[in-house]
Amino acid sequence: MKGKSFGEYTEDFYREHKDMLLRSYPGLAPRRLKQELESFCLHYQINVDDLFESRFIPTLNSPISRFFEYLKRGYPLEYIRLRSYFYKSEFFVTPDVLIPRDETEILVECTVSEMKEWIKKTDENLRICDIGTGSGAIVLSAVQEIQRPVNAIATDISKKALIVAKRNYYNLRFKILKESSVHFIQTDRLKDIDEKFHVIVSNPPYIMESIDRNQVHDQVDQYEPHLALYLNDETYFEWFEKLFAQAYDSLLEEGVFLMEGHEDHLQKLADIAKKIGFTNVEVKEDYTSRDRFLIARKKWIN
Ligand SMILES: C[S@@+](CC[C@H](N)C(=O)[O-])C[C@H]1O[C@@H](n2cnc3c(N)ncnc32)[C@H](O)[C@@H]1O
């Protein structure tokens, strides 16, 4: 065989770009790189039998050349392979949505546990809302855990994100009770949503666009949607005050609001939630012991 085999090309590529690759993809080893490449080829219906033994012929704009170009640019692997693993499912993702994060799985667990509490208290269908749904990761993960009909609404201000979320709903439909439903609505937080919910959950944008930006990894800042990440510093707390007020109005008595937020701002946000009228306001930590979640309840006060 003349020229390099595909396996040799991949190994040489890894060696030449190792520092850069490890900066963008911590822990990436040659074996994993080959697995990613195989999976990428399968997506483009390229035969992977003997892939790494075959001769490599770089062709401009072929999917395989694009794969190596993406890696050189540090493009997130989830966007290269168009999928991400979150909680118990595989989600379709594009650069129009945030790549779901591990810590958000804690938010799903807490949401599911609140939904199960509600099941003990009521015979009604559960009604839940996910504000800023992105790929639909939170709402679709939570609804599939509940063996009672759930009527969910998922909002996002981004029309493109909702297209991705609807595709995930379609893909994961078989994991969800047929009596349950998820409606996706393009709106600002809960604007014009008149329904009342047992549980409202949100992982909103929560990074202050100037003060907190230096803590954001370059790869995230460069490739993930800014609409999903940043809020204006000056109007940051007003933005949340409005979110909390809308959530409070949209909750049933004893309903619960759960949110992911920024470690540096959650305590102040907890005070704002109390001012709005929420009770039992609690700040919860993530796996790295950082303040990460806010849980607030609407108690009926006579
Ligand atoms: C941090 S991402 C979370 C995405 C997804 N829920 C997750 O946890 O992976 C925030 C989402 O909120 C959406 N968003 C931003 N501003 C919004 C607003 N004013 N109203 C509704 N959604 C908004 C963004 O488009 C983005 O999809």
Side-chain angles (χ1 to χ4, degrees):
M1 185 173 61
K2 282 221 163 107
K4 270 185 199 179
S5 74
F6 198 33
E8 286 163 342
Y9 179 86
T10 309
E11 280 156 23
D12 289 352
F13 177 88
Y14 183 87
R15 254 192 310 278
E16 279 165 34
H17 299 90
K18 189 172 173 189
D19 289 347
M20 186 282 285
L21 288 172
L22 289 178
R23 263 198 311 279
S24 299
Y25 315 103
L28 184 77
R31 193 177 128 86
R32 164 97 191 282
L33 178 60
K34 285 184 176 174
Q35 285 167 347
E36 292 289 348
L37 190 49
E38 267 184 338
S39 146
F40 182 83
C41 287
L42 285 169
H43 178 79
Y44 285 94
Q45 298 182 341
I46 297 167
N47 184 3
V48 294
D49 293 345
D50 306 322
L51 177 71
F52 295 109
E53 283 76 50
S54 59
R55 209 177 130 220
F56 180 63
I57 308 162
T59 348
L60 199 67
N61 272 335
S62 74
I64 291 182
S65 304
R66 272 212 311 277
F67 179 88
F68 288 109
E69 279 311 308
Y70 283 147
L71 288 181
K72 278 198 241 170
R73 281 194 257 144
Y75 201 52
L77 276 173
E78 288 84 351
Y79 292 152
I80 298 178
R81 59 165 115 92
L82 297 174
R83 58 180 193 275
S84 170
Y85 302 97
F86 176 79
Y87 199 68
K88 298 180 185 173
S89 305
E90 181 183 298
F91 284 85
F92 169 67
V93 292
T94 71
D96 292 323
V97 297
L98 187 96
I99 299 164
R101 303 295 203 268
D102 292 350
E103 61 268 24
T104 306
E105 293 180 344
I106 302 177
L107 188 64
V108 171
E109 280 164 6
C110 296
T111 304
V112 169
S113 140
E114 294 295 339
M115 290 165 81
K116 288 187 172 163
E117 285 304 311
W118 266 108
I119 285 180
K120 293 182 203 155
K121 289 197 277 188
T122 178
D123 292 330
E124 292 174 16
N125 281 9
L126 286 194
R127 291 196 295 284
I128 72 156
C129 181
D130 174 18
I131 304 169
T133 197
S135 61
I138 297 174
V139 69
L140 296 174
S141 299
V143 171
Q144 64 180 259
E145 292 292 331
I146 304 296
Q147 296 312 310
R148 270 261 300 274
V150 181
N151 300 120
I153 284 187
T155 74
D156 206 293
I157 205 158
S158 157
K159 199 173 174 178
K160 288 181 172 172
L162 289 173
I163 292 171
V164 173
K166 284 180 195 167
R167 179 157 165 183
N168 282 315
Y169 181 39
Y170 180 80
N171 290 345
L172 298 171
R173 195 69 190 85
F174 69 96
K175 289 186 161 190
I176 295 172
L177 282 190
K178 67 176 186 326
E179 297 81 7
S180 293
S181 61
V182 186
H183 288 288
F184 296 92
I185 298 175
Q186 186 189 10
T187 190
D188 177 0
R189 285 157 280 186
L190 279 172
K191 188 164 179 267
D192 298 330
I193 307 275
D194 296 327
E195 279 185 55
K196 301 280 184 215
F197 303 96
H198 297 98
V199 177
I200 298 178
V201 60
S202 184
N203 176 15
Y206 57 72
I207 302 168
M208 282 194 187
E209 69 186 346
S210 9
I211 292 179
D212 303 326
R213 198 162 183 162
N214 59 348
Q215 301 164 16
V216 177
H217 194 290
D218 284 350
Q219 190 190 39
V220 174
D221 184 58
Q222 205 177 344
Y223 295 116
E224 299 206 49
H226 284 196
L227 194 55
L229 298 171
Y230 299 117
L231 287 176
N232 180 284
D233 297 29
E234 280 85 57
T235 50
Y236 189 87
F237 292 105
E238 280 162 47
W239 194 94
F240 279 100
E241 191 165 342
K242 186 163 176 195
L243 172 72
F244 295 166
Q246 288 178 339
Y248 191 84
D249 286 346
S250 299
L251 278 173
L252 291 158
E253 282 167 43
E254 297 183 26
V256 57
F257 174 65
L258 305 100
M259 191 191 87
E260 185 171 320
H262 193 288
E263 55 180 317
D264 295 344
H265 312 307
L266 268 179
Q267 294 295 348
K268 182 155 177 197
L269 290 179
D271 292 339
I272 295 174
K274 286 178 203 156
K275 198 181 86 187
I276 296 286
F278 280 105
T279 57
N280 311 73
V281 178
E282 186 193 337
V283 172
K284 223 176 125 61
E285 294 176 348
D286 62 16
Y287 301 125
T288 61
S289 309
R290 295 192 174 102
D291 285 352
R292 182 66 60 210
F293 309 102
L294 184 87
I295 303 180
R297 289 166 201 283
K298 178 174 178 173
K299 280 251 188 285
W300 183 247
I301 300 163
N302 274 318

